[in-house]
Amino acid sequence: MVQPDELKRLIREVPDFPKPGILFYDITTLLKDARGFQQAVEALASQLDADAFDLLAGIEARGFIFAGALAYRFGKGLVPVRKPGKLPAATVREEYALEYGTDAVEIHQDAIQPGTRVVIVDDVLATGGTARAAARLIERAGGKVAGIVFLIELDFLRGRENLAGYPVHSILHYSA
Amino acid sequence: MVQPDELKRLIREVPDFPKPGILFYDITTLLKDARGFQQAVEALASQLDADAFDLLAGIEARGFIFAGALAYRFGKGLVPVRKPGKLPAATVREEYALEYGTDAVEIHQDAIQPGTRVVIVDDVLATGGTARAAARLIERAGGKVAGIVFLIELDFLRGRENLAGYPVHSILHYSA
């Protein structure tokens, strides 16, 4: 049984990154801990029903780490949701708003067979902009979003509201 | 037993990416195939001895996928080798030459305990510049490079020469 407090102790809090006033939850201190990483993957896995999804979609870049582990654990395939310009074949792109300006994510046009049930994986739910864009990409490609899982949810940013209508699961919650 | 030809059939060859004249080996078609992904991870795992390393280092971004799966499979921790500016705490940085200009990779200064035996993981060995920079980072941090594993090696780019002195293992070889 995974103890959230134990995982939280492995997460380093770095003030003023990436800019002043932001407290960054650094998961690298958890990743390098063998037991911590296993427990984090098992905690994410415990939110998923192997029979209820077909494919995992990992969001670049830290989402790839957990998506890779979960895809291996469940014996499923994996679709990388990438930043623009990284994928070599024809893509679909979805833009999303940042505090200043916009960013975008892409998947290959042929990444998802129609009707495929996809679980989206990322490390942190902040405003939810990237995850929502990933969900729309999957739907535009003909897939169905079976769930969205995060290791960390920053409750105070209310990203969950941005993902209304999708089953969202987070392991660790931070209120500030 | 993994058949390299079977894995190769799952890899898409995309001409002229990222620029004219380059043939890009696209692993996304393998990743999304549940059996293909499992076999790729098992093939990489077969090159490693669980008792001969302590930690995996995944190179951003596609290396994270396989490093995540392998870290889970072996019950080891994982250190992300990242592009500059992504890591929140104090880092060590290693630059490497590109065809035009330079790039760099970073790890946290405290990522690796002295004496730790680290296996580096990436998807493709091209010129070897990134992997060599990653190896140097690990050594500067006090670690020992126990091996470097790739899914794909582009033999004609002779990246292995750039990694002389390190145990290098690749699953699939391409001669052009």
Side-chain angles (χ1 to χ4, degrees):
Chain A
M1 193 63 189
V2 177
Q3 299 298 329
D5 283 352
E6 191 177 338
L7 291 180
K8 276 192 173 181
R9 274 195 294 274
L10 291 169
I11 292 172
R12 171 162 53 187
E13 303 185 7
V14 181
D16 300 321
F17 187 88
K19 55 187 182 182
I22 304 290
L23 181 62
F24 189 88
Y25 294 95
D26 175 19
I27 63 163
T28 66
T29 38
L30 180 152
L31 296 174
K32 73 178 178 182
D33 185 280
R35 179 178 155 86
F37 180 64
Q38 293 287 325
Q39 291 208 342
V41 174
E42 288 305 334
L44 290 165
S46 73
Q47 304 301 312
L48 302 177
D49 171 358
D51 297 329
F53 74 100
D54 308 301
L55 193 65
L56 290 150
I59 296 180
E60 185 168 2
R62 291 186 301 263
F64 287 2
I65 295 170
F66 293 109
L70 289 168
Y72 179 77
R73 183 189 182 288
F74 282 103
K76 309 280 188 180
L78 180 160
V79 168
V81 177
R82 299 216 63 177
K83 287 165 185 162
K86 302 285 188 182
L87 292 168
T91 61
V92 283
R93 176 184 299 210
E94 187 78 27
E95 295 197 348
Y96 58 96
L98 299 176
E99 193 178 357
Y100 302 101
T102 63
D103 208 340
V105 285
E106 296 184 341
I107 59 173
H108 278 136
Q109 276 178 9
D110 60 1
I112 294 165
Q113 294 291 108
T116 302
R117 300 164 301 170
V118 183
V119 169
I120 297 169
V121 181
D122 207 354
D123 63 330
V124 177
L125 171 54
T127 64
T130 317
R132 189 167 69 169
R136 286 179 174 170
L137 275 184
I138 286 158
E139 291 166 346
R140 283 171 58 195
K144 179 174 165 23
V145 177
I148 312 181
V149 295
F150 302 94
L151 181 64
I152 290 171
E153 179 169 354
L154 305 179
D155 296 342
F156 55 100
L157 294 178
R158 300 185 169 204
R160 195 175 278 259
E161 295 174 11
N162 225 340
L163 300 174
Y166 298 111
V168 173
H169 307 283
S170 305
I171 306 306
L172 306 176
H173 293 263
Y174 289 93
S175 58
Chain B
M1 192 63 190
V2 177
Q3 300 299 328
D5 284 352
E6 190 178 339
L7 291 180
K8 277 193 173 181
R9 274 195 294 277
L10 290 170
I11 292 172
R12 171 162 54 186
E13 303 184 7
V14 181
D16 299 320
F17 186 88
K19 56 187 179 180
I22 304 291
L23 180 62
F24 189 88
Y25 294 95
D26 175 19
I27 63 163
T28 65
T29 38
L30 180 152
L31 296 174
K32 73 178 177 180
D33 185 280
R35 179 177 155 85
F37 180 64
Q38 294 290 124
Q39 292 208 342
V41 174
E42 288 305 334
L44 289 164
S46 73
Q47 304 301 312
L48 303 177
D49 171 357
D51 296 329
F53 74 100
D54 309 301
L55 192 65
L56 291 150
I59 297 180
E60 183 168 5
R62 291 186 302 261
F64 287 3
I65 295 171
F66 293 109
L70 289 169
Y72 180 76
R73 184 190 182 288
F74 283 103
K76 309 280 186 180
L78 179 159
V79 168
V81 177
R82 300 218 61 176
K83 289 165 185 162
K86 301 286 186 180
L87 291 168
T91 61
V92 283
R93 175 184 300 211
E94 186 78 28
E95 296 198 348
Y96 58 96
L98 299 175
E99 192 179 358
Y100 301 102
T102 62
D103 207 342
V105 285
E106 296 184 343
I107 59 174
H108 278 135
Q109 276 177 9
D110 60 2
I112 294 166
Q113 294 291 107
T116 303
R117 300 164 301 168
V118 183
V119 169
I120 298 170
V121 182
D122 207 355
D123 63 330
V124 177
L125 171 54
T127 65
T130 318
R132 190 167 68 169
R136 286 179 175 172
L137 276 183
I138 287 159
E139 290 166 347
R140 282 172 56 196
K144 177 174 165 27
V145 177
I148 312 181
V149 295
F150 302 95
L151 181 62
I152 291 171
E153 179 169 353
L154 305 179
D155 296 341
F156 56 100
L157 294 178
R158 301 184 168 205
R160 194 175 278 259
E161 294 174 12
N162 225 340
L163 301 174
Y166 298 112
V168 174
H169 306 282
S170 306
I171 307 306
L172 306 176
H173 293 265
Y174 289 92
S175 58

